[in-house]
Amino acid sequence: MSRLKKILTYLALTVAGLLALALIANAYFVWVTGKRLEERLSKLRAAGEPASLAEIGAIRAPAGKNAADVLENIKPELQALIKEINPVLAKATADDPRPNPFPVDDHKTLEQAFANHPKVLPGLHEAAECIVYHSRLNYQLAGPAFLSELLTWVQLLREATNVLDTQERLQLQRKDYGGAMRTCLTSLRLTRVCDGEPMVISHLVILATRSVAVRMANEVLRAGPVSPDLHRQLEAELARHDTFDGLRRSLVTERAFGLQTMDENMGGSWFTRAYVNDNKCQYLDLMAEWIEKANGSYAQFKEQETGIQQGTITFRYVLLQLLAPAVMKIQEADYRARCLVRCLRVLNALIADKVQEVPAKVMALDLPADAITDPYTGQPLVVKKIDGQWVIYGLGPNLKDDGGNFEKLEDIGLGPVKK
């Protein structure tokens, strides 16, 4: 009996000793990881960059008329208009996703829908002329609730873009080419003004609406003549879109949202704090690299993507394994949208200058060097004429010339509008 008692005593002492060592080790790792985390957070604070939703909300909006207020005022009528035009737009099929022109009955229905809601188009033009966009988001909410509220504002921009897209098509059907181009400019300006909402999901919508506006302008330029002043306005507006600022801003605010989400979902117990701190440090390091390279070359982006795919992120960082592909996708979409903007700048210059033959060098056009550069390769964009129509493109993610094949995004660019 005494022997069993000794064994149990030894076991108890051993377990107690191991537990004490574990507690000491955990305390050490909490201290080490906490110190590393505080160093990174201190750098963010010193740079004036947010580390939570509340800190994003505390950033003051510039003074000026707020486009978000204008959109909020017309929101009920905008959504009522959307309900009227959606049944007509839903008639599009996979074979004919964008009927051109609208059938007579559909054309009348759409024209009447716009007449029924006369405040919408002037409201969108007014919002597009604002210099400030500061939506009334509640930055004190928890992550999931904030995301839900954010999506309602994001959806509003999508609806506004759909309305402008439909209006442009109606104007083309009336052969009002100048009016259609002014609608395209409104769509581009509204997209630019609204490019300030936090997180990558907002920037993804901005890229989508920008691409819609580029497609609209491509249609108008190929449909009929517009005034030299509208050509100049289009070039000036496109130059404002050819920037990395929106991508960088979305990553900075995504980082703040991610930190708060980690606190909400991974925080709590002292025993897991070292693990949480370590994940936060890794998250901040990875986001810092993405933000720093946001305006880098496509080759740098692919190198970074390859490193992640080959296991830069270990099994310890489960959240980052989910986040990394999403950020890679948003960066890929950003290159695609930038390439489309540059292709449109070239097309606009060709048509404005009444160029008939393919120039020996794209540099001969009166455009800045960046405007004619393929963001995928750093070389000039490809400019061709096929069946009398301009085809302008970059080589796309596969980095090879597929002859202007846009069907599966093998090349990225603009070609003639399909009838």
Side-chain angles (χ1 to χ4, degrees), residues 244 247 289-305 328 331-332 334-335 338 342 373-379 399:
F244 293 90
L247 174 61
E289 184 181 356
W290 280 328
I291 291 167
E292 181 185 354
K293 295 181 178 179
N295 62 345
S297 68
Y298 189 73
Q300 287 177 317
F301 162 70
K302 292 304 290 183
E303 181 180 352
Q304 187 181 22
E305 183 184 44
M328 292 292 103
Q331 288 186 286
E332 185 75 71
D334 202 79
Y335 279 104
R338 190 173 302 111
R342 292 179 181 182
T373 301
D374 178 357
Y376 291 96
T377 64
Q379 300 300 312
L399 302 179

Side-chain angles (χ1 to χ4, degrees), residues 36-37 40-41 44 51 250-262 266 276-291 313 317 319-321 323-324 327:
R36 287 171 50 214
L37 177 60
R40 286 158 175 76
L41 292 176
L44 288 187
S250 74
L251 292 173
V252 167
T253 51
E254 184 73 28
R255 176 175 60 193
F257 177 81
L259 284 171
Q260 178 164 321
T261 302
M262 285 183 177
M266 300 172 66
V276 174
N277 289 345
D278 186 39
N279 268 264
K280 284 184 177 180
C281 289
Q282 182 70 9
Y283 174 71
L284 288 171
D285 290 346
L286 194 58
M287 290 299 288
E289 184 181 356
W290 280 328
I291 291 167
I313 301 175
Y317 309 116
L319 182 63
L320 300 191
Q321 288 177 330
L323 174 69
V327 175

Side-chain angles (χ1 to χ4, degrees), residues 44-73:
L44 288 187
R45 297 187 191 103
E49 295 187 340
S52 69
L53 288 174
E55 290 179 23
I56 298 175
I59 298 173
R60 283 186 172 275
K65 190 171 184 179
N66 188 359
D69 291 341
V70 178
L71 291 176
E72 182 67 16
N73 289 337

Side-chain angles (χ1 to χ4, degrees), residues 93-221:
T93 65
D95 294 331
D96 191 12
R98 198 172 167 80
N100 182 17
F102 288 112
V104 175
D105 289 344
D106 289 347
H107 183 269
K108 289 180 179 178
T109 300
L110 292 171
E111 292 281 16
Q112 186 59 50
F114 279 93
N116 293 341
H117 304 282
K119 295 182 180 179
V120 173
L121 289 174
L124 294 178
H125 290 300
E126 182 183 354
E129 294 302 322
C130 293
I131 60 172
V132 176
Y133 182 86
H134 193 63
S135 58
R136 305 309 183 190
L137 293 167
N138 183 358
Y139 288 92
Q140 305 304 316
L141 293 172
F146 176 82
L147 186 57
S148 178
E149 186 174 296
L150 174 64
L151 290 176
T152 63
W153 283 94
V154 167
Q155 180 62 19
L156 188 62
L157 177 59
R158 294 178 67 93
E159 291 170 343
T161 301
N162 287 341
V163 164
L164 291 169
D165 182 37
T166 305
Q167 172 68 0
E168 175 257 348
R169 294 166 68 186
L170 292 172
Q171 289 169 315
L172 281 186
Q173 198 155 339
R174 298 195 298 266
K175 301 188 185 306
D176 180 9
Y177 306 122
M181 180 55 74
R182 283 187 283 274
T183 298
C184 295
L185 286 166
T186 296
S187 186
L188 283 166
R189 287 167 181 155
L190 185 62
T191 292
R192 174 171 51 82
V193 168
C194 294
D195 190 10
E197 293 286 61
M199 301 172 55
V200 295
I201 191 170
S202 301
H203 189 59
L204 187 61
V205 172
I206 289 293
L207 295 177
T209 55
R210 181 176 294 149
S211 297
V212 170
V214 167
R215 181 190 64 197
M216 291 162 59
N218 181 54
E219 290 177 341
V220 176
L221 289 172

Side-chain angles (χ1 to χ4, degrees), residues 293-361:
K293 295 181 178 179
N295 62 345
S297 68
Y298 189 73
Q300 287 177 317
F301 162 70
K302 292 304 290 183
E303 181 180 352
Q304 187 181 22
E305 183 184 44
T306 301
I308 289 172
Q309 290 173 345
Q310 292 178 349
T312 302
I313 301 175
T314 67
F315 71 92
R316 292 186 312 184
Y317 309 116
V318 177
L319 182 63
L320 300 191
Q321 288 177 330
L322 298 174
L323 174 69
V327 175
M328 292 292 103
K329 289 295 183 185
I330 197 76
Q331 288 186 286
E332 185 75 71
D334 202 79
Y335 279 104
R336 185 162 59 247
R338 190 173 302 111
C339 190
L340 288 174
V341 164
R342 292 179 181 182
C343 289
L344 183 59
R345 294 179 74 177
V346 170
L347 177 66
N348 183 50
L350 290 168
I351 294 176
D353 294 342
K354 298 181 173 58
V355 177
Q356 298 298 320
E357 302 297 328
V358 178
K361 292 184 178 180

